[in-house]
Amino acid sequence: DAGVIQSPRHEVTEMGQEVTLRCKPISGHNSLFWYRQTMMRGLELLIYFNNNVPIDDSGMPEDRFSAKMPNASFSTLKIQPSEPRDSAVYFCASSPAPGQGAISQETQYFGPGTRLLVL
Amino acid sequence: GQQVMQIPQYQHVQEGEDFTTYCNSSTTLSNIQWYKQRPGGHPVFLIQLVKSGEVKKQKRLTFQFGEAKKNSSLHITATQTTDVGTYFCAGYDSSNTGKLIFGQGTTLQVKP
């Protein structure tokens, strides 16, 4: 079975450029999460969706960050304009809704991450 | 807001020694999950504990959930170099919004 797919795996860009990160959740999962991980701040939840609807975006650092989930199989996280302090590993994770069954109904399955470096 | 704290932040052990990481929540959790992240990798689910006082084992790993459902621990017996990585505990927000709160993680280094 395919896991969570993220692209690109690595991104190097210059300050001021737009960055778009992509995620394909596991088929059948209806919750999707975007996390950012840095040495200083650890693993931070940025935003999460349930049934394609944003539920909590309180972790989005500022207006430069936006996320969309146009359908159940695709989500994007966009940074415009990017800044050096945005450099981090960005993870997407998906989770089945209660009742669908899995190892755990509330387990989160993480993608491999996108390593972003903003120069 | 709800917080999940882990200690220690880092632990270096000699191969064969035991290792324990502790997790404490500011509020009661409905359940607690543990994840492992290998260096350069992504968090991978290990186990979930749901019941008060629950203890689960996976080979050399023993997971406990406190009686008050506010703390948890992961104990590794006789560490091996394959145990290297960062161990995260995570608990669901008590307001039942579906938001999983992660601890800061404990990074384990094992010297061969």
Side-chain angles (χ1 to χ4, degrees):
Chain A
D1 288 342
V4 175
I5 298 172
Q6 290 188 249
S7 65
R9 295 292 303 276
H10 303 270
E11 177 82 18
V12 181
T13 191
E14 292 186 344
M15 183 174 66
Q17 295 298 307
E18 178 180 295
V19 174
T20 300
L21 312 181
R22 297 173 177 79
C23 175
K24 176 178 169 55
I26 293 173
S27 178
H29 285 191
N30 63 358
S31 293
L32 183 140
F33 306 81
W34 281 102
Y35 291 89
R36 178 173 67 177
Q37 186 175 44
T38 61
M39 289 292 292
M40 291 296 294
R41 300 175 69 90
L43 196 60
E44 302 175 275
L45 177 65
L46 300 177
I47 185 171
Y48 79 94
F49 297 83
N50 195 38
N51 293 321
N52 312 337
V53 176
I55 302 300
D56 186 340
D57 65 353
S58 59
M60 295 286 262
E62 47 197 273
D63 292 345
R64 297 184 298 107
F65 285 69
S66 63
K68 293 182 180 179
M69 192 165 185
N71 57 63
S73 59
F74 184 66
S75 177
T76 59
L77 178 66
K78 187 175 292 186
I79 309 173
Q80 166 64 19
S82 58
E83 297 182 3
R85 59 190 168 128
D86 301 330
S87 299
V89 181
Y90 291 81
F91 289 107
C92 174
S94 70
S95 177
Q100 289 187 19
I103 298 173
S104 159
Q105 293 175 343
E106 299 166 322
T107 302
Q108 292 193 9
Y109 298 80
F110 283 75
T114 296
R115 298 177 188 282
L116 173 65
L117 178 61
V118 183
L119 302 174
Chain B
Q2 183 173 12
Q3 290 187 324
V4 175
M5 309 296 290
Q6 267 185 270
I7 56 169
Q9 188 175 1
Y10 298 99
Q11 184 81 55
H12 295 247
V13 300
Q14 197 72 38
E15 189 173 20
E17 291 181 341
D18 292 355
F19 159 77
T20 304
T21 173
Y22 300 91
C23 179
N24 290 284
S25 170
S26 57
T27 58
T28 301
L29 301 169
S30 58
N31 60 57
I32 192 121
Q33 299 183 3
W34 286 90
Y35 291 77
K36 177 183 178 180
Q37 183 178 21
R38 296 182 184 277
H42 58 277
V44 175
F45 173 80
L46 292 177
I47 207 163
Q48 174 173 280
L49 304 170
V50 179
K51 299 177 184 176
S52 170
E54 189 171 11
V55 177
K56 286 188 176 180
K57 292 191 175 184
Q58 288 181 349
K59 298 182 180 178
R60 295 176 295 103
L61 278 60
T62 302
F63 303 83
Q64 291 187 325
F65 200 11
E67 293 291 340
K69 300 184 77 173
K70 295 180 69 173
N71 62 295
S72 181
S73 65
L74 159 59
H75 180 81
I76 303 178
T77 303
T79 55
Q80 299 176 358
T81 54
T82 52
D83 295 326
V84 164
T86 300
Y87 293 85
F88 294 95
C89 64
Y92 268 91
D93 183 76
S94 54
S95 61
N96 202 28
T97 60
K99 187 174 177 178
L100 190 61
I101 311 295
F102 278 82
Q104 313 95 303
T106 296
T107 299
L108 173 64
Q109 296 277 11
V110 180
K111 303 174 197 173

